[in-house]
Amino acid sequence: MSERTFMAVPTPEQDTADWLNPLRERDLLPDDTIAAFVVGSVARGWENSRSDFDIYVVTTEEVRTESYNAALMPLDPPRVRNEVFFENGRRWEITYWLERQFDQMLAKISWDRYTGEVFAGEILSPREETSLARLVHCRPLLGSEWIEARCELLNQSAFRSIVVVRSLGLADDAAEDALGQLEAGHLESAVLSARRALGHAVDSLLESAGEYGSHMPKWRPNRFKAAAPEVLSFERYWALETMRDYDPADPRPWVRSVLTICQDIAIRVETT
Amino acid sequence: MSTGLRVPRRALGVRVRRVSGDLVIGVDADALELTDVAKLIYESADGRNRVADIVAIVVARYDADPAEVSADVSDFLDDLAGRGVVEWVVEEPLR
């Protein structure tokens, strides 16, 4: 593969060359590259010394390298290919998307689909949802205009409503479990269900603020701080998440307080 | 206990969605839509406000006649309680 010819102009502070050179040196940047962007923790500034470098490369033709892996996707073609290499002790994972695969994912999150009969949680696969969400906070390397145009389509789509309603539904299911388990005296199970309800309810709150990424709960505190929702302070959220008020002798008050917070969130999170 | 001292609380396990600013509540297979004052009353039923407090909230928001509002709020909360959407707190209000 050779260096592409219609490269977008990078902004100086992004050190774009530092990101792209390792790919070019390994012939991993196809001629028909439309866009390339850093995603994940690095793009958000949340990385640590052990973080992988994840880069999405969007092309018009399917990439076929000598050592690629493929991940299944409910798209046409039904896979994305990726390459992994190591440099300076860092693991780099390059995922190759076809432009039409992004178009297909964006087509799935139309308002017609949202108001149709498909359950919100089944419109996108977790990997599709995560991939679209990563667009929002990516670090562009090539094709900034393409990325901005897709972000705009994402903003105009029903994506936010779809993921919010999905998370609220999961929170409701877990809350119902918790209440039933409380009534039956299965208190430990009720605690676990309440924790699950809290996670989904908080996810809905963060998603409503455009902080997506619910399939990676490890980042929930960071997303919470970034969203800074008025409905719930971080201190209160963290006290619940870490079960600070939990009394092992009687879990019921803790479970009920958590479920009350979940309902408070549902009342205040806009779904349209 | 007089009507005004009762404390309503939104029942847990009831599915609620905020749609274009209004609330849609799942009651069995039906959807109950709460707008304007009905929404305000439901939102105020937090297990701390007494009925009298909620009446005061409504009066302040809508500049309405307290006597008229008092009966309406009480009737509405009784209706919601009958549907299982709110429940009456037995103990003293949380203050």
Side-chain angles (χ1 to χ4, degrees):
Chain A
M1 293 176 198
S2 63
E3 202 168 303
R4 55 176 267 98
T5 54
F6 46 107
M7 183 187 300
V9 179
T11 55
E13 65 272 21
Q14 286 176 312
D15 298 316
T16 302
D18 291 341
W19 288 102
L20 293 178
N21 285 343
L23 276 67
R24 290 187 171 123
E25 289 163 6
R26 292 167 176 80
D27 208 13
L28 293 176
L29 204 58
D31 290 343
D32 64 336
T33 298
I34 295 170
F37 42 101
V38 183
V39 297
S41 60
V42 177
R44 303 250 17 208
W46 299 342
E47 78 275 16
N48 57 61
S49 61
R50 296 166 187 252
S51 297
D52 292 351
F53 290 159
D54 294 312
I55 297 176
Y56 283 2
V57 174
V58 183
T59 63
T60 55
E61 299 296 327
E62 212 168 358
V63 172
R64 294 176 186 279
T65 58
E66 289 178 4
S67 55
Y68 66 80
N69 297 306
L72 289 176
M73 299 286 290
L75 298 169
D76 178 25
R79 64 191 161 269
V80 289
R81 300 176 188 273
N82 60 65
E83 281 281 348
V84 173
F85 64 87
F86 291 84
E87 178 158 307
N88 295 328
R90 291 282 196 155
R91 181 179 184 274
W92 293 56
E93 181 167 346
I94 318 302
T95 303
Y96 293 97
W97 293 86
L98 286 168
E99 181 181 32
R100 64 177 185 272
Q101 289 177 315
F102 260 98
D103 291 342
Q104 290 167 33
M105 289 192 288
L106 289 166
K108 290 184 181 184
I109 50 176
S110 68
W111 286 101
D112 282 347
R113 197 80 185 275
Y114 171 65
T115 54
E117 293 180 353
V118 181
F119 173 57
E122 294 174 352
I123 291 176
L124 293 172
S125 71
R127 187 172 284 158
E128 288 177 300
E129 181 185 326
T130 299
S131 302
L132 285 174
R134 284 177 152 182
L135 262 179
V136 178
H137 296 290
C138 76
R139 180 174 180 175
L141 301 175
L142 295 171
S144 298
E145 288 181 9
W146 185 93
I147 296 166
E148 284 171 22
R150 266 54 189 183
C151 284
E152 184 57 29
L153 289 172
L154 193 67
N155 286 337
Q156 292 170 1
S157 75
F159 183 66
R160 181 183 313 228
S161 293
I162 288 169
V163 295
V164 164
V165 167
R166 179 277 319 277
S167 292
L168 286 173
L170 292 172
D172 283 339
D173 292 345
E176 202 167 310
D177 282 345
L179 287 169
Q181 288 158 341
L182 274 189
E183 288 168 8
H186 300 146
L187 302 186
E188 294 85 358
S189 292
V191 170
L192 295 182
S193 295
R195 283 178 55 85
R196 197 157 51 88
L198 176 69
H200 290 308
V202 169
D203 280 341
S204 76
L205 183 61
L206 303 184
E207 288 159 349
S208 74
E211 277 294 335
Y212 307 118
S214 298
H215 294 292
M216 286 179 283
K218 66 179 178 181
W219 294 118
R220 194 178 287 142
N222 291 45
R223 290 164 55 225
F224 200 110
K225 288 175 182 173
E230 290 181 8
V231 174
L232 184 64
S233 70
F234 181 81
E235 290 69 27
R236 179 70 181 129
Y237 154 67
W238 196 238
L240 291 165
E241 188 81 277
T242 54
M243 303 179 70
R244 214 166 298 162
D245 300 328
Y246 174 74
D247 178 3
D250 185 7
R252 286 169 294 194
W254 186 85
V255 170
R256 291 190 66 85
S257 72
V258 166
L259 299 185
T260 300
I261 291 288
C262 293
Q263 193 180 60
D264 288 346
I265 290 172
I267 287 172
R268 288 167 178 82
V269 168
E270 181 58 64
T271 61
T272 53
Chain B
M1 187 184 287
S2 79
T3 303
L5 294 177
R6 294 187 301 168
V7 178
R9 175 174 60 199
R10 298 186 296 271
L12 295 176
V14 173
R15 293 179 184 240
V16 188
R17 296 288 180 272
R18 192 175 196 94
V19 183
S20 301
D22 295 327
L23 294 181
V24 178
I25 298 178
V27 182
D28 296 326
D30 297 325
L32 182 66
E33 290 187 38
L34 302 184
T35 64
D36 300 325
V37 68
K39 183 179 70 172
L40 179 61
I41 294 169
Y42 176 76
E43 288 176 337
S44 303
D46 60 2
R48 290 185 289 269
N49 288 321
R50 300 166 301 175
V51 172
D53 298 325
I54 297 174
V55 168
I57 290 169
V58 172
V59 166
R61 175 76 64 88
Y62 292 93
D63 193 21
D65 174 29
E68 208 170 288
V69 167
S70 180
D72 288 346
V73 167
S74 201
D75 288 349
F76 180 64
L77 285 168
D78 280 332
D79 180 53
L80 290 183
R83 296 169 186 260
V85 174
V86 301
E87 55 196 16
W88 297 107
V89 179
V90 176
E91 62 268 32
E92 288 294 306
L94 304 169
R95 289 287 178 184

